[in-house]
Amino acid sequence: MHAGKGILAALTLSVLSAAVHAADPIVVYTARIDELIKPVFDAYTKETGVKIKFITDKEAPLMERIKAEGANTPADLLVTVDGGNLWQADQMGILQPVDSAVIKQNVPSQYRASNDSWAGLTLRARTIVYSPERVKEGELTTYEALADERWEGRLCLRTSKKVYNQSLTATMIEANGAEKTEQVLKGWVGNLTTDVFPDDTALIQAVDAGLCDVGIVNTYYFGRLLAQKPDLKAKLFWPNQDDRGVHVNLSGVGLTKHAPNAEAAIKLMEWMTGEEAQRLFAKINMEYPVNPAVKADETVAAWGEFKADSVPVEVTGKRQAEAIRMMDRVGWN
Ligand code: FE
């Protein structure tokens, strides 16, 4: 009798633990703030019943944490912005490749790692913002032309410490070569109106206020500011439309090397690149869908269509160190 009870108890326990296992939440470490990612996770849970636990922090501590946790990490997915950061995560050995036909179908190849270690979720353009009161029609052409004398004392830039500018520089090196890019960066630094800005929003505000005539910023910051200040005078310009196009970067996702719930996590990754999630992202983030089947949200679409640089975004990682050294050499603070 006692033995029988023991077997029953053991059986019950193992059934229970299987049930608990099946309901294990997917754990996401995300460098995106709650309001930009939670609605997407909530929609997934509502549809599938699968729970998602997420921890929000800056990308560097999240990546260090995954590395330190090693095989014991609870994290299944890392979500962060910028190809430069995702490439770093892969270099740290904290991601594993996901070979998914769904992701390959939904995400164009230039927005994925060539080794499948991460895939884009949303796109953002890093483009020119200008004051229509202080910049004449036809004056703007390319990023490179902002190095010309005509922009002396008129250009504003964000700090070179931000990965966004490192990534822009990396893709310029890829397109124009190191020598030409260094000349351009020197020209930019020589044309600065004032010290570099700590963030894109402050830069757009300075253009709006007439302190700077032109600057380079990510589109969604412009969108967020416009939502708060509908009478914003600053405008966006799409440069390099006769050559390589506008610099586009992304937010993306990678499966961690030791993901405890990998199968479920891959399903979530696939879903996030699909149409429903892409529409949600486009709306809440004011970014561009990475999935070409989904249109940009109305507000974003109103800024106009543009040709985007088709360079693989992983170039931002591959040439990051070179870009940082170059920015340092030309005195871009
Ligand atoms: Fe940002």
Side-chain angles (χ1 to χ4, degrees):
M1 279 309 276
H2 278 280
K5 260 192 188 163
I7 287 165
L8 189 63
L11 266 174
T12 310
L13 261 182
S14 83
V15 166
L16 264 178
S17 88
V20 165
H21 190 74
D24 272 355
I26 300 166
V27 177
V28 185
Y29 285 6
T30 168
R32 308 225 72 177
I33 57 171
D34 288 21
E35 64 197 67
L36 296 185
I37 195 99
K38 192 174 178 296
V40 175
F41 292 159
D42 286 347
Y44 188 72
T45 300
K46 203 173 160 198
E47 227 167 87
T48 62
V50 176
K51 295 217 163 42
I52 301 168
K53 261 178 67 180
F54 64 96
I55 291 169
T56 312
D57 202 342
K58 297 231 180 286
E59 63 272 354
L62 288 178
M63 280 154 54
E64 285 302 333
R65 184 164 167 181
I66 295 169
K67 194 176 165 86
E69 287 167 347
N72 298 318
T73 188
D76 297 297
L77 298 176
L78 172 70
V79 170
T80 187
V81 296
D82 207 286
N85 289 334
L86 288 157
W87 187 86
Q88 282 297 344
D90 186 40
Q91 290 296 108
M92 286 168 74
I94 60 174
L95 302 179
Q96 60 172 309
V98 173
D99 185 12
S100 156
V102 175
I103 292 173
K104 289 193 164 97
Q105 166 74 35
N106 288 342
V107 182
S109 63
Q110 70 267 32
Y111 303 132
R112 290 186 261 118
S114 53
N115 66 0
D116 295 325
S117 63
W118 50 264
L121 291 174
T122 62
L123 302 180
R124 63 274 299 277
R126 190 157 187 77
T127 196
I128 294 177
V129 62
Y130 71 99
S131 159
E133 290 168 342
R134 302 165 67 98
V135 174
K136 288 197 282 295
E137 186 97 32
E139 261 197 303
L140 287 165
T141 53
T142 64
Y143 297 104
E144 292 83 355
L146 295 178
D148 295 349
E149 258 174 58
R150 74 156 66 222
W151 298 107
E152 200 185 328
R154 301 172 70 190
L155 173 68
C156 288
L157 292 173
R158 183 176 184 166
T159 172
S160 68
K161 307 300 178 284
K162 184 67 186 181
V163 70
Y164 301 160
N165 281 334
Q166 297 165 7
S167 291
L168 172 65
T169 301
T171 57
M172 282 173 53
I173 296 171
E174 181 79 10
N176 300 329
E179 210 177 309
K180 171 139 189 246
T181 305
E182 187 150 345
Q183 286 307 317
V184 169
L185 296 197
K186 268 188 199 148
W188 285 3
V189 171
N191 285 343
L192 287 180
T193 313
T194 182
D195 286 344
V196 292
F197 286 77
D199 60 74
D200 285 7
T201 305
L203 205 167
I204 301 167
Q205 282 166 329
V207 171
D208 195 53
L211 171 63
C212 322
D213 293 6
V214 284
I216 300 174
V217 296
N218 282 1
T219 43
Y220 56 91
Y221 291 112
F222 181 84
R224 289 180 203 163
L225 199 57
L226 191 64
Q228 289 168 21
K229 196 174 183 270
D231 62 341
L232 194 72
K233 293 191 290 281
K235 292 211 171 327
L236 295 178
F237 175 81
W238 307 122
N240 298 71
Q241 293 303 282
D242 295 330
D243 49 69
R244 68 179 193 281
V246 174
H247 171 62
V248 166
N249 210 313
L250 45 78
S251 75
V253 59
L255 181 69
T256 67
K257 186 167 198 164
H258 300 286
N261 202 0
E263 208 180 313
I266 291 169
K267 285 204 182 100
L268 173 61
M269 285 174 81
E270 291 175 336
W271 183 85
M272 285 196 289
T273 65
E275 296 199 15
E276 186 191 346
Q278 287 289 302
R279 267 193 299 275
L280 260 176
F281 273 131
K283 192 164 185 65
I284 56 181
N285 291 11
M286 292 205 193
E287 291 178 89
Y288 296 90
V290 74
N291 182 331
V294 179
K295 286 201 180 73
D297 200 58
E298 246 173 63
T299 330
V300 174
W303 307 333
E305 296 208 348
F306 60 89
K307 174 179 155 187
D309 192 344
S310 60
V311 69
V313 168
E314 73 179 1
V315 161
T316 61
K318 283 186 178 164
R319 292 197 180 272
Q320 187 182 71
E322 196 182 353
I324 292 170
R325 284 194 301 273
M326 187 181 287
M327 295 162 107
D328 196 48
R329 273 201 303 277
V330 301
W332 184 351
N333 292 325

